[in-house]
Amino acid sequence: MLREFPPPPRADEISERIKKRLEEVRAAGGTRETVTVEWNEQQIHVEVIDLRLSDLYLNPGTHRIRAQRTHKPDQDQNLYEAPFGNAGQDYLRNLLKALPSNPELRDPAFDKLKEDLNQFGQNDPGLVTHHGVLVNGNTRAVALRELGQQSMRVGVLPPSFTQADIDAVELALQLRQDQRRDYSYINRLLAMEEQAALGRTPEQIAKAFRIRTATYHQERWILSVIKELNDRSASAGGVALRLVDWEGAQERLKELQRLYTKLETLDRDQAEILKEWRLAAILLNFSKTDVRHIDEVFLGEEYLVKALPTELTDTGTAAQAESVSIPGLDLDVPAASSTVSAARMLNDRILRAAATVRNTAAGLTDSEKAKAQNLLDGAREAFDKAIDDHGRDARIRKRKQLAPARLADACVNIDQCVIELVQARTSHSLDEEAFDEAVLKLQGSLRKLAQQAGRGIPNPGDGVSWLLAAASAEGSQ
């Protein structure tokens, strides 16, 4: 959510230096460099100056690394308590250089940006507040510091700008299509949530993010699911999944939302079970094509139920209540079915195990992590077997349906042929010789079909019986 940050150290000193630099630029005359920013659905032009990198602070509210901040809770706490302190600024610097999906690794995109700056210099100016806090250009500032540069060109926002104004400007700049380094998926979701909290309508937010309104609602659903799962993953020791753990799952989560929306109005329990199972498969790092196998047939044939080991099916819980009372309303609503509860409890165990394994903070013993890893390995093996069984059976079903499907296509073509034959005859444009040759080919094809049908179907139905009789009659003539 939106947070008002205190002024950074040396705020008055830096503000005075910026004011003097602006006065010097204006006094110099000639053409002055400006940068155009979007604010409040209009464009404003702010003047550009050179500022020492030592006078610039990384923005603790930048949307670029919002999700990644939770990677190390202790350092995130330092950043929250002292956003402009050395520890907080160092953490920001490390996150800006890191891979969004795994902050332990350096992002190749950062090195590409650094190489570009080294070779061609700074093409576009950054943007700062009158206190020297970077609004745009945080990653570039980090790269320039690593290159040993002493200054950076920046546009200066008016002193009257509030934190909400600053965040709006940052979003408008970063959502342009020409940016070198886009926001990560989860950070986009968080930025949308923040805009909604400021009172903007779904239509306004969708327009700002250059997406359809339906897509905006889809993204909000996904973020709410992720936050719910992170809460459910929390163990007694406080270990929980982080927002960054869901980076890279964008397409799988979107396909899940589409499936859930389709099934929810038809069978709510089915939709909930498949949602839990698909989310578990996503957390277990199954590919998009594998996750797609978790569908209505997968549920109906109980592929996963058959594959799960005893330690993952034995929840040790009591029977589910038939209804749940809503406090204060004197109203009872139906409780979740036992199958939904079982799917949810299975996913909860996987969530907590994943949180334990992925935890980077100290406090967990090796035996706890090993136990959690064993549970994940068992779950992945069960899901892998279930998905493989479903895929194999689906291929068999497809092969069984190929011949009837081909014949159905042929019927459609023959029906179309009847229409075109009437039209050609009416206009006296029918090529009778070519038509006759085509009918002879049809005769040969039907004869071959009858031969194979007579061998492979011991108890033919009416259709196959007709085909065999027609072929036999044609052969006796």
Side-chain angles (χ1 to χ4, degrees), residues 296-328:
E296 300 95 314
V297 177
F298 184 89
L299 173 59
E301 296 295 328
E302 298 187 340
Y303 286 105
L304 183 60
V305 174
K306 298 171 184 175
L308 283 172
T310 305
E311 57 269 22
L312 286 176
T313 57
D314 183 14
T315 57
T317 56
Q320 295 294 312
E322 294 184 359
S323 63
V324 176
S325 178
I326 300 180

PDB file of all heavy atoms in Angstrom, residues 296-328:
ATOM      1  N   GLU A 296     -11.137 -31.702 -15.840  1.00  0.00           N
ATOM      2  CA  GLU A 296     -12.318 -32.412 -15.357  1.00  0.00           C
ATOM      3  C   GLU A 296     -12.151 -33.929 -15.449  1.00  0.00           C
ATOM      4  O   GLU A 296     -12.592 -34.664 -14.553  1.00  0.00           O
ATOM      5  CB  GLU A 296     -13.551 -31.982 -16.150  1.00  0.00           C
ATOM      6  CG  GLU A 296     -13.862 -30.495 -16.049  1.00  0.00           C
ATOM      7  CD  GLU A 296     -13.269 -29.683 -17.194  1.00  0.00           C
ATOM      8  OE1 GLU A 296     -12.074 -29.904 -17.523  1.00  0.00           O
ATOM      9  OE2 GLU A 296     -13.978 -28.848 -17.754  1.00  0.00           O
ATOM     10  N   VAL A 297     -11.550 -34.421 -16.527  1.00  0.00           N
ATOM     11  CA  VAL A 297     -11.334 -35.863 -16.679  1.00  0.00           C
ATOM     12  C   VAL A 297     -10.331 -36.354 -15.634  1.00  0.00           C
ATOM     13  O   VAL A 297     -10.505 -37.425 -15.038  1.00  0.00           O
ATOM     14  CB  VAL A 297     -10.849 -36.196 -18.106  1.00  0.00           C
ATOM     15  CG1 VAL A 297     -10.547 -37.695 -18.243  1.00  0.00           C
ATOM     16  CG2 VAL A 297     -11.881 -35.760 -19.139  1.00  0.00           C
ATOM     17  N   PHE A 298      -9.291 -35.574 -15.388  1.00  0.00           N
ATOM     18  CA  PHE A 298      -8.286 -35.899 -14.378  1.00  0.00           C
ATOM     19  C   PHE A 298      -8.943 -36.092 -13.017  1.00  0.00           C
ATOM     20  O   PHE A 298      -8.614 -37.019 -12.267  1.00  0.00           O
ATOM     21  CB  PHE A 298      -7.264 -34.759 -14.321  1.00  0.00           C
ATOM     22  CG  PHE A 298      -6.102 -34.976 -13.391  1.00  0.00           C
ATOM     23  CD1 PHE A 298      -4.943 -35.593 -13.828  1.00  0.00           C
ATOM     24  CD2 PHE A 298      -6.170 -34.547 -12.075  1.00  0.00           C
ATOM     25  CE1 PHE A 298      -3.870 -35.783 -12.968  1.00  0.00           C
ATOM     26  CE2 PHE A 298      -5.106 -34.731 -11.204  1.00  0.00           C
ATOM     27  CZ  PHE A 298      -3.950 -35.356 -11.661  1.00  0.00           C
ATOM     28  N   LEU A 299      -9.914 -35.224 -12.715  1.00  0.00           N
ATOM     29  CA  LEU A 299     -10.638 -35.330 -11.451  1.00  0.00           C
ATOM     30  C   LEU A 299     -11.603 -36.511 -11.459  1.00  0.00           C
ATOM     31  O   LEU A 299     -11.650 -37.300 -10.500  1.00  0.00           O
ATOM     32  CB  LEU A 299     -11.408 -34.032 -11.195  1.00  0.00           C
ATOM     33  CG  LEU A 299     -12.359 -33.998  -9.999  1.00  0.00           C
ATOM     34  CD1 LEU A 299     -11.608 -34.276  -8.702  1.00  0.00           C
ATOM     35  CD2 LEU A 299     -13.071 -32.654  -9.918  1.00  0.00           C
ATOM     36  N   GLY A 300     -12.361 -36.653 -12.539  1.00  0.00           N
ATOM     37  CA  GLY A 300     -13.367 -37.704 -12.607  1.00  0.00           C
ATOM     38  C   GLY A 300     -12.790 -39.099 -12.546  1.00  0.00           C
ATOM     39  O   GLY A 300     -13.376 -40.007 -11.924  1.00  0.00           O
ATOM     40  N   GLU A 301     -11.630 -39.294 -13.152  1.00  0.00           N
ATOM     41  CA  GLU A 301     -10.992 -40.613 -13.168  1.00  0.00           C
ATOM     42  C   GLU A 301     -10.114 -40.855 -11.941  1.00  0.00           C
ATOM     43  O   GLU A 301      -9.501 -41.916 -11.812  1.00  0.00           O
ATOM     44  CB  GLU A 301     -10.144 -40.767 -14.440  1.00  0.00           C
ATOM     45  CG  GLU A 301     -10.955 -40.749 -15.738  1.00  0.00           C
ATOM     46  CD  GLU A 301     -11.886 -41.943 -15.843  1.00  0.00           C
ATOM     47  OE1 GLU A 301     -11.532 -43.027 -15.315  1.00  0.00           O
ATOM     48  OE2 GLU A 301     -12.969 -41.789 -16.453  1.00  0.00           O
ATOM     49  N   GLU A 302     -10.013 -39.858 -11.060  1.00  0.00           N
ATOM     50  CA  GLU A 302      -9.283 -39.974  -9.796  1.00  0.00           C
ATOM     51  C   GLU A 302      -7.817 -40.384  -9.989  1.00  0.00           C
ATOM     52  O   GLU A 302      -7.268 -41.175  -9.230  1.00  0.00           O
ATOM     53  CB  GLU A 302      -9.976 -40.973  -8.862  1.00  0.00           C
ATOM     54  CG  GLU A 302     -11.388 -40.555  -8.468  1.00  0.00           C
ATOM     55  CD  GLU A 302     -11.987 -41.477  -7.415  1.00  0.00           C
ATOM     56  OE1 GLU A 302     -11.506 -42.622  -7.266  1.00  0.00           O
ATOM     57  OE2 GLU A 302     -12.929 -41.050  -6.737  1.00  0.00           O
ATOM     58  N   TYR A 303      -7.180 -39.804 -10.989  1.00  0.00           N
ATOM     59  CA  TYR A 303      -5.776 -40.147 -11.251  1.00  0.00           C
ATOM     60  C   TYR A 303      -4.890 -39.802 -10.060  1.00  0.00           C
ATOM     61  O   TYR A 303      -4.017 -40.591  -9.676  1.00  0.00           O
ATOM     62  CB  TYR A 303      -5.280 -39.403 -12.498  1.00  0.00           C
ATOM     63  CG  TYR A 303      -5.814 -39.947 -13.798  1.00  0.00           C
ATOM     64  CD1 TYR A 303      -6.806 -39.279 -14.506  1.00  0.00           C
ATOM     65  CD2 TYR A 303      -5.327 -41.144 -14.333  1.00  0.00           C
ATOM     66  CE1 TYR A 303      -7.300 -39.770 -15.700  1.00  0.00           C
ATOM     67  CE2 TYR A 303      -5.819 -41.649 -15.531  1.00  0.00           C
ATOM     68  CZ  TYR A 303      -6.801 -40.953 -16.205  1.00  0.00           C
ATOM     69  OH  TYR A 303      -7.298 -41.444 -17.391  1.00  0.00           O
ATOM     70  N   LEU A 304      -5.094 -38.608  -9.483  1.00  0.00           N
ATOM     71  CA  LEU A 304      -4.236 -38.197  -8.372  1.00  0.00           C
ATOM     72  C   LEU A 304      -4.547 -38.991  -7.112  1.00  0.00           C
ATOM     73  O   LEU A 304      -3.629 -39.381  -6.379  1.00  0.00           O
ATOM     74  CB  LEU A 304      -4.404 -36.696  -8.105  1.00  0.00           C
ATOM     75  CG  LEU A 304      -3.507 -36.127  -7.009  1.00  0.00           C
ATOM     76  CD1 LEU A 304      -2.036 -36.327  -7.349  1.00  0.00           C
ATOM     77  CD2 LEU A 304      -3.804 -34.646  -6.782  1.00  0.00           C
ATOM     78  N   VAL A 305      -5.819 -39.231  -6.848  1.00  0.00           N
ATOM     79  CA  VAL A 305      -6.208 -39.992  -5.659  1.00  0.00           C
ATOM     80  C   VAL A 305      -5.548 -41.366  -5.660  1.00  0.00           C
ATOM     81  O   VAL A 305      -5.075 -41.854  -4.617  1.00  0.00           O
ATOM     82  CB  VAL A 305      -7.746 -40.129  -5.596  1.00  0.00           C
ATOM     83  CG1 VAL A 305      -8.157 -41.040  -4.440  1.00  0.00           C
ATOM     84  CG2 VAL A 305      -8.403 -38.759  -5.470  1.00  0.00           C
ATOM     85  N   LYS A 306      -5.480 -41.990  -6.831  1.00  0.00           N
ATOM     86  CA  LYS A 306      -4.870 -43.315  -6.949  1.00  0.00           C
ATOM     87  C   LYS A 306      -3.353 -43.272  -6.779  1.00  0.00           C
ATOM     88  O   LYS A 306      -2.735 -44.249  -6.358  1.00  0.00           O
ATOM     89  CB  LYS A 306      -5.215 -43.941  -8.298  1.00  0.00           C
ATOM     90  CG  LYS A 306      -6.708 -44.180  -8.518  1.00  0.00           C
ATOM     91  CD  LYS A 306      -6.992 -44.587  -9.956  1.00  0.00           C
ATOM     92  CE  LYS A 306      -8.492 -44.724 -10.221  1.00  0.00           C
ATOM     93  NZ  LYS A 306      -8.777 -45.015 -11.658  1.00  0.00           N
ATOM     94  N   ALA A 307      -2.741 -42.137  -7.136  1.00  0.00           N
ATOM     95  CA  ALA A 307      -1.275 -42.050  -7.134  1.00  0.00           C
ATOM     96  C   ALA A 307      -0.698 -41.555  -5.812  1.00  0.00           C
ATOM     97  O   ALA A 307       0.481 -41.782  -5.528  1.00  0.00           O
ATOM     98  CB  ALA A 307      -0.805 -41.126  -8.262  1.00  0.00           C
ATOM     99  N   LEU A 308      -1.514 -40.885  -4.976  1.00  0.00           N
ATOM    100  CA  LEU A 308      -0.991 -40.304  -3.746  1.00  0.00           C
ATOM    101  C   LEU A 308      -0.577 -41.391  -2.749  1.00  0.00           C
ATOM    102  O   LEU A 308      -1.324 -42.340  -2.512  1.00  0.00           O
ATOM    103  CB  LEU A 308      -2.045 -39.411  -3.090  1.00  0.00           C
ATOM    104  CG  LEU A 308      -2.255 -38.022  -3.713  1.00  0.00           C
ATOM    105  CD1 LEU A 308      -3.456 -37.345  -3.080  1.00  0.00           C
ATOM    106  CD2 LEU A 308      -1.009 -37.156  -3.557  1.00  0.00           C
ATOM    107  N   PRO A 309       0.594 -41.255  -2.138  1.00  0.00           N
ATOM    108  CA  PRO A 309       1.003 -42.209  -1.101  1.00  0.00           C
ATOM    109  C   PRO A 309       0.175 -42.020   0.171  1.00  0.00           C
ATOM    110  O   PRO A 309      -0.449 -40.976   0.371  1.00  0.00           O
ATOM    111  CB  PRO A 309       2.477 -41.854  -0.865  1.00  0.00           C
ATOM    112  CG  PRO A 309       2.588 -40.417  -1.263  1.00  0.00           C
ATOM    113  CD  PRO A 309       1.610 -40.220  -2.388  1.00  0.00           C
ATOM    114  N   THR A 310       0.196 -43.001   1.029  1.00  0.00           N
ATOM    115  CA  THR A 310      -0.625 -42.981   2.242  1.00  0.00           C
ATOM    116  C   THR A 310      -0.324 -41.767   3.112  1.00  0.00           C
ATOM    117  O   THR A 310      -1.232 -41.143   3.672  1.00  0.00           O
ATOM    118  CB  THR A 310      -0.387 -44.260   3.061  1.00  0.00           C
ATOM    119  OG1 THR A 310      -0.625 -45.391   2.230  1.00  0.00           O
ATOM    120  CG2 THR A 310      -1.305 -44.308   4.266  1.00  0.00           C
ATOM    121  N   GLU A 311       0.953 -41.392   3.217  1.00  0.00           N
ATOM    122  CA  GLU A 311       1.313 -40.282   4.104  1.00  0.00           C
ATOM    123  C   GLU A 311       0.755 -38.942   3.624  1.00  0.00           C
ATOM    124  O   GLU A 311       0.689 -37.979   4.389  1.00  0.00           O
ATOM    125  CB  GLU A 311       2.830 -40.172   4.257  1.00  0.00           C
ATOM    126  CG  GLU A 311       3.599 -40.003   2.953  1.00  0.00           C
ATOM    127  CD  GLU A 311       4.030 -41.339   2.359  1.00  0.00           C
ATOM    128  OE1 GLU A 311       3.406 -42.370   2.703  1.00  0.00           O
ATOM    129  OE2 GLU A 311       4.988 -41.340   1.563  1.00  0.00           O
ATOM    130  N   LEU A 312       0.343 -38.858   2.345  1.00  0.00           N
ATOM    131  CA  LEU A 312      -0.238 -37.624   1.838  1.00  0.00           C
ATOM    132  C   LEU A 312      -1.763 -37.670   1.793  1.00  0.00           C
ATOM    133  O   LEU A 312      -2.407 -36.643   1.591  1.00  0.00           O
ATOM    134  CB  LEU A 312       0.291 -37.321   0.431  1.00  0.00           C
ATOM    135  CG  LEU A 312       1.729 -36.812   0.365  1.00  0.00           C
ATOM    136  CD1 LEU A 312       2.178 -36.630  -1.070  1.00  0.00           C
ATOM    137  CD2 LEU A 312       1.872 -35.508   1.130  1.00  0.00           C
ATOM    138  N   THR A 313      -2.340 -38.845   1.962  1.00  0.00           N
ATOM    139  CA  THR A 313      -3.803 -38.945   1.971  1.00  0.00           C
ATOM    140  C   THR A 313      -4.364 -39.020   3.379  1.00  0.00           C
ATOM    141  O   THR A 313      -5.521 -38.701   3.613  1.00  0.00           O
ATOM    142  CB  THR A 313      -4.268 -40.194   1.192  1.00  0.00           C
ATOM    143  OG1 THR A 313      -3.653 -41.358   1.762  1.00  0.00           O
ATOM    144  CG2 THR A 313      -3.878 -40.084  -0.268  1.00  0.00           C
ATOM    145  N   ASP A 314      -3.548 -39.435   4.324  1.00  0.00           N
ATOM    146  CA  ASP A 314      -3.995 -39.570   5.712  1.00  0.00           C
ATOM    147  C   ASP A 314      -3.863 -38.223   6.415  1.00  0.00           C
ATOM    148  O   ASP A 314      -2.782 -37.834   6.855  1.00  0.00           O
ATOM    149  CB  ASP A 314      -3.168 -40.631   6.435  1.00  0.00           C
ATOM    150  CG  ASP A 314      -3.646 -40.850   7.870  1.00  0.00           C
ATOM    151  OD1 ASP A 314      -4.760 -40.384   8.180  1.00  0.00           O
ATOM    152  OD2 ASP A 314      -2.912 -41.474   8.643  1.00  0.00           O
ATOM    153  N   THR A 315      -4.959 -37.492   6.497  1.00  0.00           N
ATOM    154  CA  THR A 315      -4.923 -36.155   7.112  1.00  0.00           C
ATOM    155  C   THR A 315      -5.229 -36.203   8.599  1.00  0.00           C
ATOM    156  O   THR A 315      -4.921 -35.266   9.336  1.00  0.00           O
ATOM    157  CB  THR A 315      -5.957 -35.233   6.433  1.00  0.00           C
ATOM    158  OG1 THR A 315      -7.254 -35.843   6.539  1.00  0.00           O
ATOM    159  CG2 THR A 315      -5.615 -35.051   4.962  1.00  0.00           C
ATOM    160  N   GLY A 316      -5.872 -37.278   9.038  1.00  0.00           N
ATOM    161  CA  GLY A 316      -6.176 -37.411  10.461  1.00  0.00           C
ATOM    162  C   GLY A 316      -7.181 -36.414  10.971  1.00  0.00           C
ATOM    163  O   GLY A 316      -7.214 -36.073  12.147  1.00  0.00           O
ATOM    164  N   THR A 317      -8.062 -35.929  10.077  1.00  0.00           N
ATOM    165  CA  THR A 317      -9.051 -34.938  10.491  1.00  0.00           C
ATOM    166  C   THR A 317     -10.402 -35.583  10.680  1.00  0.00           C
ATOM    167  O   THR A 317     -10.705 -36.625  10.121  1.00  0.00           O
ATOM    168  CB  THR A 317      -9.174 -33.834   9.423  1.00  0.00           C
ATOM    169  OG1 THR A 317      -9.490 -34.441   8.174  1.00  0.00           O
ATOM    170  CG2 THR A 317      -7.878 -33.058   9.304  1.00  0.00           C
ATOM    171  N   ALA A 318     -11.232 -34.928  11.461  1.00  0.00           N
ATOM    172  CA  ALA A 318     -12.575 -35.438  11.722  1.00  0.00           C
ATOM    173  C   ALA A 318     -13.464 -35.176  10.523  1.00  0.00           C
ATOM    174  O   ALA A 318     -13.124 -34.428   9.614  1.00  0.00           O
ATOM    175  CB  ALA A 318     -13.150 -34.764  12.967  1.00  0.00           C
ATOM    176  N   ALA A 319     -14.641 -35.800  10.528  1.00  0.00           N
ATOM    177  CA  ALA A 319     -15.589 -35.609   9.434  1.00  0.00           C
ATOM    178  C   ALA A 319     -15.997 -34.145   9.339  1.00  0.00           C
ATOM    179  O   ALA A 319     -16.113 -33.435  10.340  1.00  0.00           O
ATOM    180  CB  ALA A 319     -16.819 -36.483   9.666  1.00  0.00           C
ATOM    181  N   GLN A 320     -16.264 -33.708   8.128  1.00  0.00           N
ATOM    182  CA  GLN A 320     -16.602 -32.313   7.890  1.00  0.00           C
ATOM    183  C   GLN A 320     -18.037 -32.021   8.315  1.00  0.00           C
ATOM    184  O   GLN A 320     -18.936 -32.841   8.149  1.00  0.00           O
ATOM    185  CB  GLN A 320     -16.444 -31.984   6.392  1.00  0.00           C
ATOM    186  CG  GLN A 320     -15.015 -32.093   5.908  1.00  0.00           C
ATOM    187  CD  GLN A 320     -14.130 -31.050   6.550  1.00  0.00           C
ATOM    188  OE1 GLN A 320     -14.466 -29.882   6.599  1.00  0.00           O
ATOM    189  NE2 GLN A 320     -13.010 -31.483   7.082  1.00  0.00           N
ATOM    190  N   ALA A 321     -18.252 -30.843   8.878  1.00  0.00           N
ATOM    191  CA  ALA A 321     -19.609 -30.412   9.229  1.00  0.00           C
ATOM    192  C   ALA A 321     -20.397 -30.128   7.953  1.00  0.00           C
ATOM    193  O   ALA A 321     -19.829 -29.755   6.925  1.00  0.00           O
ATOM    194  CB  ALA A 321     -19.544 -29.161  10.097  1.00  0.00           C
ATOM    195  N   GLU A 322     -21.712 -30.309   8.035  1.00  0.00           N
ATOM    196  CA  GLU A 322     -22.542 -30.084   6.865  1.00  0.00           C
ATOM    197  C   GLU A 322     -22.769 -28.599   6.604  1.00  0.00           C
ATOM    198  O   GLU A 322     -23.074 -28.199   5.487  1.00  0.00           O
ATOM    199  CB  GLU A 322     -23.888 -30.785   7.039  1.00  0.00           C
ATOM    200  CG  GLU A 322     -23.783 -32.308   7.070  1.00  0.00           C
ATOM    201  CD  GLU A 322     -25.145 -32.966   7.156  1.00  0.00           C
ATOM    202  OE1 GLU A 322     -26.150 -32.215   7.215  1.00  0.00           O
ATOM    203  OE2 GLU A 322     -25.194 -34.193   7.163  1.00  0.00           O
ATOM    204  N   SER A 323     -22.671 -27.771   7.634  1.00  0.00           N
ATOM    205  CA  SER A 323     -22.873 -26.343   7.451  1.00  0.00           C
ATOM    206  C   SER A 323     -21.962 -25.570   8.388  1.00  0.00           C
ATOM    207  O   SER A 323     -21.433 -26.104   9.356  1.00  0.00           O
ATOM    208  CB  SER A 323     -24.339 -25.957   7.717  1.00  0.00           C
ATOM    209  OG  SER A 323     -24.671 -26.236   9.065  1.00  0.00           O
ATOM    210  N   VAL A 324     -21.781 -24.280   8.050  1.00  0.00           N
ATOM    211  CA  VAL A 324     -20.943 -23.392   8.853  1.00  0.00           C
ATOM    212  C   VAL A 324     -21.782 -22.196   9.248  1.00  0.00           C
ATOM    213  O   VAL A 324     -22.468 -21.596   8.405  1.00  0.00           O
ATOM    214  CB  VAL A 324     -19.699 -22.940   8.056  1.00  0.00           C
ATOM    215  CG1 VAL A 324     -18.890 -21.944   8.873  1.00  0.00           C
ATOM    216  CG2 VAL A 324     -18.851 -24.140   7.682  1.00  0.00           C
ATOM    217  N   SER A 325     -21.738 -21.832  10.531  1.00  0.00           N
ATOM    218  CA  SER A 325     -22.513 -20.697  11.025  1.00  0.00           C
ATOM    219  C   SER A 325     -21.713 -19.409  10.869  1.00  0.00           C
ATOM    220  O   SER A 325     -20.523 -19.358  11.185  1.00  0.00           O
ATOM    221  CB  SER A 325     -22.864 -20.918  12.499  1.00  0.00           C
ATOM    222  OG  SER A 325     -23.567 -19.803  13.006  1.00  0.00           O
ATOM    223  N   ILE A 326     -22.381 -18.371  10.373  1.00  0.00           N
ATOM    224  CA  ILE A 326     -21.747 -17.065  10.219  1.00  0.00           C
ATOM    225  C   ILE A 326     -22.006 -16.254  11.479  1.00  0.00           C
ATOM    226  O   ILE A 326     -23.169 -15.949  11.808  1.00  0.00           O
ATOM    227  CB  ILE A 326     -22.300 -16.316   8.993  1.00  0.00           C
ATOM    228  CG1 ILE A 326     -22.030 -17.130   7.718  1.00  0.00           C
ATOM    229  CG2 ILE A 326     -21.677 -14.931   8.889  1.00  0.00           C
ATOM    230  CD1 ILE A 326     -22.545 -16.476   6.458  1.00  0.00           C
ATOM    231  N   PRO A 327     -20.949 -15.886  12.232  1.00  0.00           N
ATOM    232  CA  PRO A 327     -21.133 -15.166  13.497  1.00  0.00           C
ATOM    233  C   PRO A 327     -21.878 -13.849  13.299  1.00  0.00           C
ATOM    234  O   PRO A 327     -21.613 -13.109  12.362  1.00  0.00           O
ATOM    235  CB  PRO A 327     -19.697 -14.924  13.971  1.00  0.00           C
ATOM    236  CG  PRO A 327     -18.874 -15.955  13.257  1.00  0.00           C
ATOM    237  CD  PRO A 327     -19.553 -16.179  11.948  1.00  0.00           C
ATOM    238  N   GLY A 328     -22.849 -13.597  14.198  1.00  0.00           N
ATOM    239  CA  GLY A 328     -23.558 -12.331  14.196  1.00  0.00           C
ATOM    240  C   GLY A 328     -24.725 -12.239  13.242  1.00  0.00           C
ATOM    241  O   GLY A 328     -25.501 -11.288  13.294  1.00  0.00           O
TER     242      GLY A 328
END
